[in-house]
Amino acid sequence: MTAVHSTRMLILGSGPAGLSAAIYGARAGMAPIVVQGLQPGGQLTITTDVENYPGFRDVIQGPWLMEEMQAQAEHVGAQMIWDTIVEVDLSERPFRLKGDGGTLYVADTLVIATGAQARWLGAPGEAELGGKGVSACATCDGFFYRGKKVAVIGGGNTAVEEALYLTNHSHDVTLIHRRDSLRAEKILQERLFKHHGINVLWNKEVVRFVGGSDAEGLIGIDLKDTKTGEVSRFDVDGGFVAIGHHPSTELFAGQIELDEGYIKVKPGTALTNVPGVFACGDVMDKVYRQAITAAGTGCMAALDAERFLQAQDFPVPEDAELGPIAAGESIAAE
Ligand code: FAD
Ligand code: NAP
């Protein structure tokens, strides 16, 4: 028996983009289903302080913000499903997608909000020492390095925030960057440079992560000076890779137009080249990649989907309830 969910609007992803699309879609009477993926709440669930999401004078916490967005989406009638889509067929409408347990999703419109995932360096030792000293998430793993020596690799907002966060656990934090200037926002740079517990190593590239015994895990990182070419060992207990993210679009390759891996949308809209498929958030945004822009484009995707359905003679029923409403129809089939 295969479980089948049939809906007018299927949303892939439960970050700020997917949940904003869910709020607008539900309020438009489209009873959206949100497939949450492996990271319910998205990237903000792995950070702490969020200071630039409008509406909050005080610093708020990323996981809390995402819980509130999900609660709001559910309150207006969106249905959350904890599943991950592993197969997509966009060749005809309704679109058919499969979850990793075999559940089938049949959707009149599809909103892709699958966001982005951490990028890795690909240096020798990185994969082998994953979880044994090498990580891409300081807020998840920083606690294990209490009182130890840690390094963060990267020069963007994430790297600087991770370095600042790690000072909660370690008095010996080093930021390693391949150039001589950071691309992080000025306010974050100021905090970093003022912090006595953080050193910066400029113009250094990672050559390899070096492991000791099984019990020791990571013991050092070999670094190459980009100016002199000299390679030296940097002794360290924890290495946090924070070199950006890549869009989660592997599922759609060959079925939808991409631009440098990001889903291509018609400028000023959330329309992809496949009628009935819309994209929002980091998965289609190689420039801004902020929670607020993800939320804004999520709203656009839901409104574009609603207009698409109206134009396709799939009008929202006049008796569709607004506010808390029944979510997408779910049936069981052979
Ligand atoms: P994401 O948040 O990446 O969510 C993607 C969703 O898609 C997830 O729920 C995932 O489970 C789901 N998904 C993926 N694949 C599948 C699949 N196959 N099936 C179903 N679901 C799937 N921005 C700010 O504005 N302010 C900040 O302070 C800030 N701090 C940050 C700190 C860190 C450490 C990081 C990494 C990012 C930070 N950002 C911040 C950026 C911000 O988090 C992103 O711009 C935003 O989360 C993008 O939202 P999104 O909904 O597009 O995607
Ligand atoms: P990013 O801005 O793309 O920065 C990536 C950093 O990693 C850059 O400094 C880059 O170096 C470096 N890098 C990339 N590849 C590398 C490699 N192979 N070896 C060594 N270094 C490498 O990524 P991010 O910091 O993760 O930020 C992603 C997005 O999320 C951005 O839009 C950011 O604004 C947003 N974000 C916002 C906040 C916030 O608002 N507080 C917090 C976190 C993230 P170069 O500089 O030399 O290119």
Side-chain angles (χ1 to χ4, degrees):
M1 192 85 116
T2 309
V4 180
H5 292 284
S6 184
T7 178
R8 271 174 289 172
M9 184 182 185
L10 185 69
I11 300 171
L12 300 195
S14 54
L19 293 178
S20 302
I23 291 166
Y24 276 80
R27 286 179 51 77
M30 290 193 284
I33 288 179
V34 180
V35 182
Q36 293 181 284
L38 288 175
Q39 192 177 52
Q43 293 169 62
L44 282 189
T45 59
I46 59 161
T47 190
T48 50
D49 296 355
V50 175
E51 298 176 70
N52 49 15
Y53 197 84
F56 305 96
R57 191 184 328 191
D58 298 323
V59 175
I60 55 168
Q61 299 298 299
W64 174 83
L65 177 63
M66 297 319 299
E67 276 171 26
E68 291 296 308
M69 276 193 209
Q70 178 174 330
Q72 186 179 359
E74 287 176 317
H75 176 69
V76 293
Q79 183 185 350
M80 302 290 149
I81 295 187
W82 196 15
D83 197 356
T84 299
I85 297 299
V86 293
E87 267 180 53
V88 175
D89 180 359
L90 305 180
S91 61
E92 57 179 351
R93 280 200 310 274
F95 305 116
R96 296 167 78 82
L97 299 92
K98 205 186 262 181
D100 69 355
T103 300
L104 181 66
Y105 298 86
V106 181
D108 295 325
T109 60
L110 177 66
V111 172
I112 302 174
T114 46
Q117 284 186 342
R119 217 183 262 285
W120 292 95
L121 286 161
E126 183 182 51
E128 295 84 337
L129 291 162
K132 296 177 199 152
V134 177
S135 166
C137 178
T139 44
C140 318
D141 299 329
F143 177 80
F144 301 115
Y145 299 92
R146 190 165 284 266
K148 295 189 173 173
K149 188 172 170 181
V150 294
V152 177
I153 297 112
N157 279 349
T158 301
V160 172
E161 285 192 344
E162 302 251 275
L164 288 165
Y165 173 78
L166 284 166
T167 61
N168 293 319
H169 300 295
S170 164
H171 296 300
D172 194 343
V173 179
T174 301
L175 184 80
I176 299 169
H177 185 38
R178 64 182 177 184
R179 293 188 295 121
D180 61 3
S181 65
L182 301 174
R183 71 169 64 227
E185 283 171 66
K186 290 285 171 280
I187 189 168
L188 289 174
Q189 294 198 28
E190 278 166 23
R191 279 184 212 161
L192 180 94
F193 296 139
K194 266 205 285 205
H195 205 294
H196 298 301
I198 305 177
N199 303 308
V200 182
L201 286 181
W202 301 106
N203 304 312
K204 296 279 191 284
E205 273 175 5
V206 172
V207 177
R208 72 178 65 84
F209 291 92
V210 184
S213 64
D214 263 3
E216 285 173 315
L218 181 77
I219 57 166
I221 307 176
D222 284 350
L223 298 172
K224 180 172 154 193
D225 189 298
T226 58
K227 297 261 163 119
T228 64
E230 190 191 333
V231 175
S232 57
R233 172 80 43 95
F234 182 71
D235 296 331
V236 74
D237 304 301
F240 291 85
V241 178
I243 60 164
H245 292 77
H246 65 84
S248 303
T249 52
E250 296 80 0
L251 268 179
F252 315 103
Q255 301 198 59
I256 205 161
E257 207 175 332
L258 303 179
D259 176 14
E260 292 175 32
Y262 291 80
I263 294 180
K264 197 169 172 184
V265 293
K266 187 174 165 201
T269 74
L271 273 63
T272 70
N273 68 314
V274 179
V277 180
F278 307 87
C280 50
D282 281 15
V283 78
M284 48 67 82
D285 174 11
K286 62 179 152 192
V287 181
Y288 304 106
R289 292 173 296 172
Q290 303 295 307
I292 184 64
T293 45
T297 52
C299 156
M300 290 163 65
L303 295 180
D304 284 344
E306 185 195 359
R307 282 172 199 154
F308 174 84
L309 285 174
Q310 298 279 5
Q312 297 289 314
D313 277 342
F314 273 118
V316 172
E318 277 178 15
D319 61 352
E321 283 179 48
L322 296 183
I325 51 175
E329 201 188 318
S330 299
I331 52 172
E334 281 301 308

